[in-house]
Amino acid sequence: MIKFFLKKNLCDGWDNLLQLFIYNIGLILWGGIIAFAWFETSPYLEAYNTLLPWVTLIAAISLFMIPVFAWGANAMKIADFNTPSAGLFFRSMRVVWKLAVAFSVLVTAVTFMALNAIPYYWTQFGWLGTLVAAAICWFLLISAIALQYFLPLYFLQEQNGFKKCLKKSFIIFFDNPMFSLFLFLYNGVLFMLSLVFVFIAPGVNGITLATMNATRLRLYKYDWLDEHPGYINDRDKRANVPWDELIAQDKETLGPRKISSFLFPWK
């Protein structure tokens, strides 16, 4: 399954490279405007109230995350072998903004607590404080890995709201820890590549596409478990998911892709 995921994600990214370029450049420009405005205003706001910069930071992150979440609709289209569109992107912004704001509040709150709690416990209460600080670090790492699934779950399972996306993100993580860690590291590699290419490619939207592809394929496991309830509570049986059978249709749809098709797409 992982081998097919890597192949499909490469093909999807390559086939939609121009789309990724355009949306990533737009996101870079938009993020730059937001960051400039926040850095310029936060010192003045802090003079009035120390919490105001954090409030405006939530607003800034929310404004950035709204187009990221909106791109998720196109990422789902691509992952499902369909064509993305600008119209879908702009329509989705009107739908996802509340979820994007709630997610931004969650991320900011966790970051705020971590930045204050970790130094406090690390320097206080001796070895007990060190243990608490280490526990917080582990919580942050697990949360970062689990929350990869948050955005894809919203689009792949339309019945999911904020609470369900959050709950299912952690359920999928604890049920698939090694795959989740692999995806986290894979996205880390994409992030490093994005740094090299100044986030034009693969960029934030490319990472979103990768996570969408991975989550979409992984959810086949739960469709299969629903059809085979005898496997749900048996750890050993749950490990024997027939991935070749579950992704057979996707393999057929993707078809064989040779290296020459990437270098010479017109052939």
Side-chain angles (χ1 to χ4, degrees), residues 61-74 76 88-104 150-156 158 160-162 165 208 212:
I61 294 174
S62 298
L63 288 172
F64 181 79
M65 291 303 297
I66 289 171
V68 173
F69 271 66
W71 166 256
N74 274 334
M76 183 187 68
L88 178 62
F89 172 76
F90 288 109
R91 288 195 303 272
S92 297
M93 291 182 72
R94 299 196 300 267
V95 177
V96 304
W97 72 269
K98 290 182 180 179
L99 187 71
V101 170
F103 184 80
S104 301
F150 186 94
L151 189 157
L153 282 170
Y154 173 76
F155 287 99
L156 293 169
E158 295 180 0
N160 287 341
F162 177 82
C165 285
T208 300
M212 186 69 68

Side-chain angles (χ1 to χ4, degrees), residues 20 187-188 190-191 194 199 202-212:
L20 288 175
N187 284 335
L190 294 184
F191 181 81
S194 299
F199 282 93
V204 174
N205 294 319
I207 294 172
T208 300
L209 175 60
T211 310
M212 186 69 68

Side-chain angles (χ1 to χ4, degrees), residues 54-55 57-66 68-69 98-116 136 139-140 142-151 162 166 169-170:
W54 284 94
V55 174
L57 180 61
I58 293 175
I61 294 174
S62 298
L63 288 172
F64 181 79
M65 291 303 297
I66 289 171
V68 173
F69 271 66
K98 290 182 180 179
L99 187 71
V101 170
F103 184 80
S104 301
V105 171
L106 172 66
V107 171
T108 307
V110 171
T111 303
F112 177 80
M113 289 187 292
L115 291 176
N116 287 275
I136 295 173
F139 169 75
L140 292 176
I142 291 172
S143 297
I145 297 174
L147 289 176
Q148 295 177 113
Y149 299 114
F150 186 94
L151 189 157
F162 177 82
L166 186 62
S169 294
F170 282 91

Side-chain angles (χ1 to χ4, degrees), residues 2 23 25-26 29 39 76-77 96 100 104 138 162 171 176 181 202 216 220 224 232 256:
I2 290 178
Y23 284 100
I25 290 173
L29 294 175
F39 281 111
M76 183 187 68
K77 283 283 187 181
V96 304
S104 301
W138 275 108
F162 177 82
I171 289 174
N176 308 272
L181 179 60
R216 176 181 173 276
Y220 285 161
W224 179 79
I232 292 177

